[in-house]
Amino acid sequence: MTLLLLAGSGDARRIAEGLNGVDVIASLAGATRDPAPLPVPTRSGGFGGEAGFRQFLTENGITAVLDATHPYAHRITVRTARVCAKLDLPFLQFLRPGWKPEPGDKWTEIAREEDAAAHIPQGTTVFLGTGRQTLEGFANLVGRRVICRQIDPPEAPFPFEGGEFLVGRPPFSVEDEIALFSRLKVDWLVVKNAGGAASRTKLTAARQLGIPVLMIARPPQGDWPIVDTVDAALDWVRRL
């Protein structure tokens, strides 16, 4: 067996650490510069579309694919599931559970980035914890101060007026986030429902500060096999 692990999440690292004795290749999309190395052979960058992905699977003798990408890497997951089905390769998606509101949280769920403007008043300060990939979807937030946090220093100016980048590499403690939101005078927090304990600290900080949150809903799940724990993902590999 040769397993392809589509990585890019902290859980993918935990899965890779548990794949002792498995012939595995990990793949990173290359969205983050200088990511921490994984404990297995790793490639970085795209595959060149669906045809390139099929070619990679064939040329590298891949016999199973485990998708542990970000919960919002929907296009990658859909493509991977489709190609694996055509090639009759076992496929599994690891999808960690989404966040649930707790007492004191002020959450409003929205379907897409463009919907944020309908909820956020003019003249307010908006903190985007959504990454830069979907930043242009917030271009209609004119009249607000928009702060987008990203891991790497920006390579281009902010794509619309009234916005600014903030560079920061996780993890961030609750105390860090409280101090940051207070210093920036954040009025609204916008996040994707990525799940996981490490990145929930910003939500805890928002609750303690009384900051309302816009939660972008997860993409719809497909009819392929899905597990939500690292142990279940490793058990699936062992059964192959």
Side-chain angles (χ1 to χ4, degrees):
M1 181 186 72
T2 300
L3 175 73
L4 175 64
L5 173 64
L6 300 181
S9 65
D11 298 293
R13 176 174 302 281
R14 294 172 57 205
I15 291 172
E17 291 170 350
L19 291 174
N20 296 325
V22 177
D23 185 8
V24 56
I25 301 172
S27 179
L28 295 171
T32 300
R33 283 174 249 159
D34 300 320
L38 293 170
V40 297
T42 306
R43 65 172 300 279
S44 181
F47 292 99
E50 185 165 324
F53 183 55
R54 289 175 63 112
Q55 182 178 355
F56 177 87
L57 295 176
T58 302
E59 291 182 350
N60 289 274
I62 301 299
T63 55
V65 180
L66 174 52
D67 178 359
T69 56
H70 192 274
Y72 285 75
H74 187 58
R75 287 184 294 179
I76 293 175
T77 301
V78 169
R79 181 193 68 185
T80 304
R82 181 173 59 247
V83 171
C84 286
K86 290 178 180 178
L87 297 178
D88 198 26
L89 294 178
F91 169 76
L92 179 73
Q93 181 187 15
F94 169 84
L95 184 64
R96 63 183 176 231
W99 293 312
K100 302 293 184 183
E102 298 180 3
D105 284 327
K106 302 176 181 179
W107 294 7
T108 301
E109 186 175 83
I110 58 177
R112 59 198 186 110
E113 289 78 5
E114 291 81 359
D115 297 337
H119 299 270
I120 300 176
Q122 297 271 336
T124 54
T125 297
V126 185
F127 189 92
L128 301 181
T130 54
R132 70 179 185 274
Q133 285 83 1
T134 56
L135 184 55
E136 292 184 358
F138 296 103
N140 60 353
L141 285 175
V142 293
R144 294 88 164 171
R145 180 191 179 199
V146 179
I147 303 167
C148 176
R149 181 163 65 191
Q150 61 179 39
I151 294 175
D152 296 316
E155 297 179 336
F158 207 85
F160 54 87
E161 186 177 353
E164 59 191 84
F165 288 114
L166 176 69
V167 177
R169 184 174 290 268
F172 307 105
S173 69
V174 173
E175 293 73 20
D176 290 338
E177 300 291 57
I178 288 175
L180 177 65
F181 295 167
S182 299
R183 176 171 60 83
L184 296 174
K185 295 181 170 55
V186 172
D187 299 302
W188 285 82
L189 173 64
V190 184
V191 299
K192 296 176 179 177
N193 195 345
S199 53
R200 192 184 176 108
T201 55
K202 55 183 172 287
L203 296 172
T204 303
R207 180 173 66 246
Q208 294 188 19
L209 293 171
I211 297 172
V213 175
L214 290 183
M215 184 72 67
I216 301 174
R218 286 188 169 190
Q221 297 181 9
D223 58 359
W224 48 77
I226 298 173
V227 297
D228 62 5
T229 68
V230 170
D231 286 343
L234 292 173
D235 286 343
W236 177 82
V237 174
R238 297 185 187 106
R239 293 194 304 267
L240 292 174

